[in-house]
């Protein structure tokens, strides 16, 4: 960790003016991509991720189909212009494969797989702009796209990254804070029950008390963000869908 | 040694798997495990270095056998990191007719986990592997082979990798200006790698979801408690478990990695329980590795001594003198 840089100033504000436990502003957009069953664009601060869902549909590779449950495939692409430096436009890289594996694990945990036997759900995630916490943003976008596709799910999932910078618990890290190599935990919890951990990953060397404290901080912050930024747009989107169905019903 | 269950695995069908899952779950509800282990008990662990050279390690945990081989060479570094060495991991497993296409994904996941844990965690000092900045660095490649899989391959692979990294010795170098002299092992003693800490991972199976556990607790009035978290799950237990947690700790008790993969949700007290159990089990595995290293060193010394005596006998040294001079013996043995 770089000791010269001041990530939290004496007034308790971070580099972008947030409090340590404050998340970035998050906005959702549904239905911007045509030709897919569900899509969602998540903008969290400067990070922009667009996810689309195709399915449940027939399995493309018959050898991989399962008679009793649905299979989920995921494809994560990072745009060449997403980061600070222009990257090679190859579709597959180690980073995108790691993100794909994480999104797949969360989706398999939260979707009721037994409801769609012999089927396949395909998730495409496109990272349009990176600003730290990319894995968490991909998980959020993919789960909200599944909601838009009306796939049977246990709960909404909210993922975020928490870190420890100069002995201060910090929530929703940005690129500058991720670059400080501080201990970080990426965690996904249920929206309505933050004490339930859906997915979790940490790759830093800390004591177990620090892990517990960071998980607790993440759960509290998830509760606040879900109530403030996720519940309202989801309810509005559901009301719009019901209204559309009502109009179609009147037409019949 | 435990007999391999090849015949059973070959004829496994969904019905038999379902029966095994039901049996495992009923055993957990009764507070037992199908192979009569305790909840926090590992299978029999055996660490071995099968060859005389120091670059192969073999770890057995019950019926799971994993070997790790290490090799190093001088290469040109990456342009973006001219002062850091290179560490590579690859995981292989011989294919059988029962393996599905998901096995490839599992091996890729295991490779990514090893890279995240050992390369990302700063286990090996990569700056110490630099010889000439920008021109020559050491490149270390670890090749992990899963010889038999009866559950918990992740842990055994990590233990084998850590054992081979601790035990390996790379050749000594002499640098004069821009020239690099690589000394063979008979000229100078090879030097060990610079290891900062030793993470050891432990897999845990969460037996049932919290909601199911609450329903079960309300339904039953027995004094016997059902198992909640079991360590070192076998193949059957991994199939029957509702979710799994992998915790990596080092000898100082620090948590190096926590991963909760797919399955049902868990709570924070279960994560804390996993971390505590892993902290208790890590010194045992580390002492097994250290003992295996010491035994291997002793075996190497004995073999070298026998080779020396055989060479003496072959060249007729014993016929010339009744007993060799102590100075020569001490000099040769050092």
């Amino acid at each position: 960790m770089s000791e010269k840089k001041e990530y939290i100033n004496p007034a308790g504000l971070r580099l972008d003016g947030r409090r340590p436990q404050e998340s970035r502003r998050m906005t959702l957009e549904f239905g911007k991509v045509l030709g897919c069953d569900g899509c969602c664009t998540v903008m969290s601060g400067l990070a922009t991720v667009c996810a689309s869902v195709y399915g449940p549909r027939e399995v493309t590779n018959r050898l991989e189909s399962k008679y009793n449950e649905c299979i989920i495939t995921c494809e994560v692409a990072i745009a060449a212009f997403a980061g600070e430096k222009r990257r090679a436009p190859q579709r597959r890289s180690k980073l995108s494969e790691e993100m794909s594996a994480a999104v797949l694990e969360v989706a398999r945990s939260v979707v009721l797989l037994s409801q769609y036997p012999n089927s396949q759900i395909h998730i495409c995630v496109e990272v349009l702009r990176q600003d730290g916490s990319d894995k968490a943003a991909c998980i959020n976008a993919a789960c909200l796209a599944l909601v838009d596709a009306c796939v049977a799910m246990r709960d909404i999932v909210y993922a975020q990254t928490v870190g420890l910078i100069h002995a201060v618990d910090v929530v929703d890290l940005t690129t500058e804070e991720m670059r400080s190599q501080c201990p970080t935990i990426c965690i996904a919890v249920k929206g309505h029950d933050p004490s339930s951990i859906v997915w979790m990953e940490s790759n830093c060397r800390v004591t177990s008390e620090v892990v517990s404290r960071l998980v607790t901080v993440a759960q509290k912050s998830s509760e606040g963000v879900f109530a403030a930024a996720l519940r309202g747009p989801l309810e509005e989107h559901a009301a719009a869908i019901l209204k559309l169905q009502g109009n179609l019903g009147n037409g019949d | 040694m435990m007999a391999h269950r090849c015949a059973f695995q070959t004829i496994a069908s969904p019905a038999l798997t379902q029966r095994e899952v039901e049996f495992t779950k009923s055993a957990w509800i009764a507070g037992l495990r199908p192979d009569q282990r305790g909840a926090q008990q590992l299978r029999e662990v055996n660490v071995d270095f099968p060859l005389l050279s120091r670059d192969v390690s073999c770890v057995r945990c019950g019926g799971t056998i994993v070997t790790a081989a290490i090799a190093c060479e001088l290469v040109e570094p990456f342009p973006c990191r001219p002062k850091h060495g290179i560490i590579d991991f690859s995981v292989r497993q011989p294919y059988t007719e029962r393996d599905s296409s998901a096995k490839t994904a599992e091996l890729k996941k295991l490779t990514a986990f090893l890279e995240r844990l050992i390369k990302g965690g700063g286990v090996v000092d990569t700056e110490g592997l630099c010889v000439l900045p920008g021109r020559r660095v050491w490149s270390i490649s670890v090749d992990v082979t899963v010889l038999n899989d009866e559950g918990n391959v992740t842990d055994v692979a990590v233990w084998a990798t850590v054992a081979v990294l601790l035990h390996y010795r790379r050749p000594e170098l002499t640098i004069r200006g821009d020239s690099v002299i690589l000394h063979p092992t008979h000229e100078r003693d090879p030097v060990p790698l610079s290891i900062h800490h030793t993470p050891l991972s432990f897999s845990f199976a969460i037996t049932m979801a919290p909601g199911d556990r609450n329903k079960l607790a309300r339904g039953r009035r027995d004094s016997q408690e059902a198992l909640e978290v079991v360590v070192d799950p076998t193949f059957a237990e991994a199939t029957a478990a509702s979710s799994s947690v992998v915790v990596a700790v080092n000898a100082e008790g620090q948590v190096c990695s926590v991963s909760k993969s797919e399955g049902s949700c868990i709570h924070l007290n279960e994560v804390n329980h996993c971390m505590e159990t892993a902290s208790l089990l890590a010194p045992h595995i580390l002492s097994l590795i250290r003992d295996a290293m010491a035994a291997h060193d002793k075996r190497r010394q004995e073999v070298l001594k026998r080779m020396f005596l055989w060479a003496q006998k072959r060249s007729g040294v014993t016929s010339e003198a009744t007993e060799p001079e102590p100075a020569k013996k001490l000099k040769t043995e050092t």
Side-chain angles (χ1 to χ4, degrees):
Chain A
M1 189 183 299
S2 176
E3 298 292 334
K4 301 176 182 176
K5 195 155 193 174
E6 192 185 46
Y7 291 99
I8 301 175
N9 62 17
L13 300 178
R14 290 152 74 175
L15 289 172
D16 49 1
R18 287 186 283 146
R19 297 283 172 187
Q21 316 274 317
E22 193 178 336
S23 295
R24 288 174 288 184
R25 192 172 303 150
M26 178 191 259
T27 54
L28 316 176
E29 288 185 19
F30 292 101
K32 293 298 178 183
V33 176
L34 301 180
C36 60
D37 295 299
C39 96
C40 180
T41 301
V42 174
M43 283 162 281
S44 177
L46 294 179
T48 306
V49 180
C50 178
S52 49
V53 167
Y54 303 86
R57 66 182 185 187
E58 191 177 349
V59 185
T60 53
N61 191 355
R62 303 292 298 181
L63 290 177
E64 293 179 355
S65 67
K66 294 183 179 178
Y67 73 98
N68 59 341
E69 62 180 26
C70 168
I71 66 169
I72 303 181
T73 54
C74 181
E75 184 180 302
V76 173
I78 302 176
F81 48 85
E84 295 175 356
K85 298 178 181 177
R86 185 177 177 88
R87 52 185 286 147
Q90 57 180 357
R91 299 289 289 183
R92 305 178 64 85
S93 66
K94 196 171 287 185
L95 181 63
S96 63
E97 283 192 8
E98 276 189 21
M99 289 179 171
S100 174
V103 172
L104 201 58
E105 284 179 4
V106 175
R108 286 184 60 85
S109 299
V110 82
V111 171
L112 300 179
L113 300 172
S114 56
Q115 298 294 311
Y116 311 102
N118 266 319
S119 303
Q120 175 186 1
I121 297 175
H122 188 60
I123 305 170
C124 294
V125 183
E126 187 93 24
V127 181
L128 300 175
R129 189 166 180 182
Q130 285 176 310
D131 190 36
S133 307
D134 303 325
K135 202 175 282 187
C138 289
I139 292 170
N140 290 332
C143 291
L144 290 166
L146 286 167
V147 171
D148 190 34
C150 301
V151 174
M153 293 169 72
R154 291 183 165 88
D155 204 334
I156 313 295
V157 169
Y158 178 69
Q160 64 177 338
T161 307
V162 285
L164 189 72
I165 301 182
H166 298 328
V168 178
D169 304 326
V170 177
V171 159
D172 202 6
L173 279 75
T174 58
T175 303
E176 286 291 329
E177 288 154 351
M178 296 284 276
R179 199 173 287 145
S180 67
Q181 298 286 318
C182 65
T184 58
I185 293 181
C186 193
I187 182 170
V189 296
K190 281 185 170 181
H192 292 94
D193 182 18
S195 65
S196 298
I197 298 166
V198 178
W199 177 84
M200 179 179 177
E201 186 181 86
S202 86
N203 301 312
C204 49
R205 211 195 326 172
V206 289
T207 57
S208 54
E209 289 84 14
V210 173
V211 173
S212 303
R213 196 171 80 240
L214 287 177
V215 170
T216 307
V217 165
Q219 287 168 347
K220 287 181 186 173
S221 178
S222 300
E223 197 167 4
V225 170
F226 183 77
L230 286 177
R231 182 186 286 268
L234 282 166
E235 287 177 356
E236 290 170 9
H237 188 54
I241 291 177
L242 289 177
K243 188 177 179 182
L244 184 63
Q245 288 179 0
N247 290 344
L248 292 177
N250 293 339
D252 290 340
Chain B
M1 180 170 160
M2 187 187 292
H4 303 319
R5 305 182 302 161
C6 302
F8 175 78
Q9 297 290 345
T10 303
I11 61 172
S13 65
L16 282 172
T17 307
Q18 189 61 32
R19 298 288 93 75
E20 198 168 25
V21 165
E22 288 171 7
F23 174 69
T24 306
K25 286 185 175 178
S26 55
W28 283 338
I29 289 171
L32 303 167
R33 293 178 78 171
D35 47 3
Q36 303 188 27
R37 284 186 283 149
Q40 303 182 7
Q41 186 182 345
L42 301 169
R43 286 174 283 179
E44 187 188 352
V45 183
N46 185 18
V47 185
D48 190 20
F49 296 92
L51 305 184
L52 277 186
S53 56
R54 296 172 181 266
D55 52 3
V56 177
S57 77
C58 177
V59 179
R60 299 160 191 259
C61 181
T64 303
I65 307 171
V66 175
T67 62
I70 189 171
C72 71
E73 61 178 330
L74 284 171
V75 298
E76 196 172 291
F78 295 124
C80 53
R81 303 186 74 195
K83 292 185 179 178
H84 287 257
I86 298 165
I87 307 178
D88 252 335
F89 294 95
S90 71
V91 180
R92 296 186 286 164
Q93 178 169 2
Y95 278 95
T96 58
E97 64 277 3
R98 67 176 170 91
D99 291 328
S100 62
S101 57
K103 184 65 72 176
T104 307
E106 285 178 26
L107 295 183
K108 280 186 181 177
K109 189 187 291 185
L110 181 51
T111 307
F113 178 69
L114 281 172
E115 291 214 5
R116 234 172 40 233
L117 184 64
I118 294 179
K119 199 197 296 193
V123 171
V124 181
D125 185 21
T126 50
E127 252 176 314
L129 302 174
C130 176
V131 178
L132 290 177
R135 294 170 59 179
R136 280 286 177 265
V137 294
W138 283 111
S139 166
I140 295 174
S141 60
V142 182
D143 197 345
V144 180
T145 305
V146 182
L147 295 179
N148 196 39
D149 181 359
E150 282 195 7
N152 200 19
V153 165
T154 307
D155 293 359
V156 186
V158 170
W159 303 343
T161 305
V162 167
V164 85
L165 286 172
L166 284 173
H167 201 43
Y168 184 64
R169 303 280 190 270
R170 64 167 174 80
E172 177 79 76
L173 295 172
T174 300
I175 305 167
R176 290 206 186 96
D178 286 340
S179 66
V180 179
I181 302 171
L182 202 96
H183 295 283
T185 52
H186 61 265
E187 279 187 17
R188 292 196 186 182
D189 283 342
V191 299
L193 301 173
S194 176
I195 305 289
H196 288 166
H197 64 110
T198 55
L200 300 168
S201 79
F202 296 93
S203 297
F204 297 86
I206 313 295
T207 54
M208 58 189 77
D212 297 345
R213 192 179 308 135
N214 292 336
K215 276 186 262 180
L216 184 72
R218 264 186 267 112
R220 291 168 62 98
R221 297 301 174 189
D222 292 358
S223 61
Q224 221 161 14
E225 286 188 3
L227 293 181
E228 295 187 0
V229 179
V230 296
V231 74
D232 187 22
T234 59
F235 205 83
E237 283 172 329
T239 308
S242 68
S243 65
S244 67
V245 178
V246 180
V247 177
V249 294
N250 58 11
E252 292 86 30
Q254 291 174 320
V255 177
C256 303
S257 172
V258 181
S259 300
K260 189 269 171 189
S261 57
E262 64 185 75
S264 67
C265 302
I266 61 173
H267 287 141
L268 185 55
N269 53 354
E270 280 150 3
V271 179
N272 287 330
H273 180 71
C274 294
M275 292 193 286
E276 288 171 14
T277 308
S279 300
L280 291 177
L281 294 169
H284 169 61
I285 300 295
L286 194 58
S287 67
L288 282 181
I289 294 174
R290 300 285 186 187
D291 292 347
M293 287 164 63
H296 188 243
D297 284 337
K298 192 174 180 181
R299 189 153 55 96
R300 278 168 56 93
Q301 290 292 325
E302 288 180 2
V303 170
L304 285 177
K305 192 177 296 187
R306 266 188 270 126
M307 285 169 65
F308 175 70
L309 293 179
W310 177 82
Q312 264 190 330
K313 195 178 301 183
R314 186 168 183 269
S315 60
V317 173
T318 52
S319 63
E320 293 174 6
T322 307
E323 55 186 44
E325 296 180 13
K328 281 185 182 177
K329 203 166 193 179
L330 289 177
K331 192 180 296 181
T332 309
E333 282 180 358
T334 58

